[in-house]
Structures are given as structure tokens and as C-alpha cells.
Amino acid sequence: MNILLDDVPYRDQLYPFAATRSMVHIRIGILTILEKWQLAFPGKIYLTSQQSKNNISGEEVVKIPANILPSVNYFNCLKKNASEAGNTTDCKILEHPWQIFELNDWAIRQDFELMTTGRTSEKISVDNKAICPENIFVETGTKINYSIINANDGPVYIGKNAEVLEGCLIRGPFVLGEGSRLKMGTKIYGATTLGPHCLGGGEIKSSVMMGYSNKAHDGYLGDSVIGEWCNLGAGTSNSNLKNTAGIVKVWDKSKNAF
């Protein structure tokens, strides 16, 4: 069975994160949407923007909306029976950009199960304090020094060759991607994802950094989505409350209106 992800109809809904690339490259949880499918169905994933259904030869083709955030149970059911493609009751549907951080808690838990089941975590040095260590998974090549990791409220995933410097305070759910680094004294609240090759510092809460981006200094980042190759300078802070305490409005490109 081949999977054809229909990524075209949802681009405007997820502006600006789908303005320069397919929406399947949006990171939510540990993985991008495309990476989730590639992990579950290796070598079987196609995009409507890249290849038409008629050009996919061989096995049965199942067309699925690309804005579905699949659960582990959904993957398991789909592998058994292609007719389960439309049964998305335990999945999430990504329709607006702010849902990237709103649904990140759920997505981290699903990806954590998908990626770590049947695998063994690297050991965490006794120099650190690990709370609920069964919910902490550390890949090879990581460096974690004199920090506190609390996974009681959600899983913590530390990617390959990532580094947690001295004095960091981490509460799950949290993801530190491959090659990423937390500077000394960083405070992390869940649900937060720092994608691959990111740099985190200061205080971060309920935020997603897609990859290759930096918030390296003191300041607060909360309820936010940061794309790739972005840099927040020293002292940068954002608020999840409008300064006037009024209603927050977001422009919808698909409707050309707020």
C-alpha cells in the first residue's frame, strides 16, 4: 500500500508556514508531518504536489489529507486495513497555524511512543536529577550536565548529539532535536519543541521552533511558533496576552480577512 498525502488544499490555511514549502514539512511533536508518515510507511509516501496518483505504480494507493496528525493507533489500524484511512477519530486535524503549539503536547506523546517503543534510551549521568526517568529518552552522543529533567507531566526526548548545559530546568513534554543545545540556566516548560540544530536560552514555554533557529539569550518565548533559520536577539520577549488585554486577531490568508 502506497500513501498519497494531499498537501495542496491546506497551504493557505497554514500560512506563512506553508508559503515556501509543502505543509508536510511543518514540525509538530518530535517529527514533521512527513517524517511521521515516512517512519510508519518507509518508502511508501508520496505528495500530490510532487507526483500524481496516476504516476504511482504497483500497489494500492490510499489518498489521505496531509493536515491529519496521525496517532499511533491510526497508523496501526491503517497498516492492517486501508479502509481505515477515513477513521480519524483519534487523530488531530491541523487547520490553523496557532494549533501547531496548541496540539504540540498531544503530538509529542504520539511521536514519543512511535519512536521509542522497543528501543532503549542512553543513560543519563548521575550528575543530573531525572524525575520519572521512564518517560525520558536520550539518543546517542548527547551531553547533559548538572540539570533537572522532570518528565512527570509528559515525556522528554533528547535527540542525537544534543547538549544540555549546566543548570537547565526542564519540564516535559519537551523535545530537543538532533544537534540542538540548551544554554546554561535555561528554563523549559512544556509543551515545547526545539527542532534540529536549534539553540535555546532564557525561558521558553509552549512553543515550537521548526529547526535551525536560535533563542539563545534571556527573555521569554511563550505560545509561539518559530520557523527555520530565525534568530531572536538578546532580551527578546513575547507575550501571550495582548498589551491592551483585547481580542487577538490573526489574518487568515485562505479568507483574506482577520
Side-chain angles (χ1 to χ4, degrees), residues 103-122:
L103 299 176
N104 197 42
D105 185 310
W106 179 89
I108 290 174
R109 296 173 192 271
Q110 296 299 317
D111 286 355
F112 188 86
E113 181 179 350
L114 183 67
M115 293 185 68
T116 66
T117 298
R119 300 177 61 211
T120 302
S121 170
E122 294 293 312

Side-chain angles (χ1 to χ4, degrees), residues 168-175 182 185-194 200-206:
C168 291
L169 305 175
I170 298 170
R171 291 181 64 89
F174 173 62
V175 176
L182 293 182
T186 302
K187 292 177 282 188
I188 299 288
Y189 296 85
T192 291
T193 293
L194 303 188
E203 185 177 4
I204 305 175
K205 169 187 170 288
S206 188

Side-chain angles (χ1 to χ4, degrees), residues 36-254:
K36 301 175 198 293
W37 285 97
Q38 288 175 330
L39 186 60
F41 294 89
K44 302 292 185 179
I45 305 303
Y46 299 86
L47 306 181
T48 53
S49 58
Q50 297 174 336
Q51 178 137 13
S52 71
K53 183 175 180 179
N54 294 332
N55 290 335
I56 303 174
S57 59
E59 304 176 16
E60 176 187 11
V61 177
V62 178
K63 187 176 181 180
I64 296 176
N67 66 334
I68 291 175
L69 300 179
S71 67
V72 173
N73 182 62
Y74 179 74
F75 277 146
N76 291 336
C77 291
L78 187 58
K79 288 176 181 178
K80 295 177 182 177
N81 191 342
S83 65
E84 292 292 325
N87 184 12
T88 59
T89 52
D90 62 346
C91 300
K92 301 295 182 182
I93 309 299
L94 189 60
E95 298 177 298
H96 305 288
W98 55 86
Q99 290 179 306
I100 297 171
F101 68 80
E102 287 182 342
L103 299 176
N104 197 42
D105 185 310
W106 179 89
I108 290 174
R109 296 173 192 271
Q110 296 299 317
D111 286 355
F112 188 86
E113 181 179 350
L114 183 67
M115 293 185 68
T116 66
T117 298
R119 300 177 61 211
T120 302
S121 170
E122 294 293 312
K123 293 183 178 179
I124 301 173
S125 168
V126 295
D127 295 335
N128 301 283
K129 174 64 175 178
I131 302 171
C132 204
E134 63 272 18
N135 284 342
I136 302 172
F137 194 93
V138 177
E139 299 282 6
T140 59
T142 60
K143 298 178 182 178
I144 307 174
N145 298 304
Y146 298 99
S147 293
I148 299 175
I149 304 176
N150 184 350
N152 190 60
D153 292 334
V156 173
Y157 176 86
I158 310 295
K160 292 181 181 179
N161 302 318
E163 185 174 11
V164 178
L165 297 182
E166 298 85 346
C168 291
L169 305 175
I170 298 170
R171 291 181 64 89
F174 173 62
V175 176
L176 186 64
E178 180 176 352
S180 292
R181 184 159 57 112
L182 293 182
K183 296 185 72 176
M184 290 190 297
T186 302
K187 292 177 282 188
I188 299 288
Y189 296 85
T192 291
T193 293
L194 303 188
H197 305 286
C198 287
L199 185 59
E203 185 177 4
I204 305 175
K205 169 187 170 288
S206 188
S207 294
V208 175
M209 298 174 70
M210 300 285 185
Y212 303 93
S213 291
N214 299 327
K215 184 221 172 286
H217 304 286
D218 287 339
Y220 175 74
L221 181 68
D223 295 331
S224 301
V225 182
I226 307 297
E228 293 189 353
W229 302 104
C230 300
N231 183 69
L232 303 181
T236 299
S237 291
N238 82 317
S239 174
N240 55 6
L241 178 66
K242 196 171 181 178
N243 290 343
T244 62
I247 297 174
V248 176
K249 295 182 179 181
V250 178
W251 184 63
D252 187 331
K253 188 176 188 297
S254 64

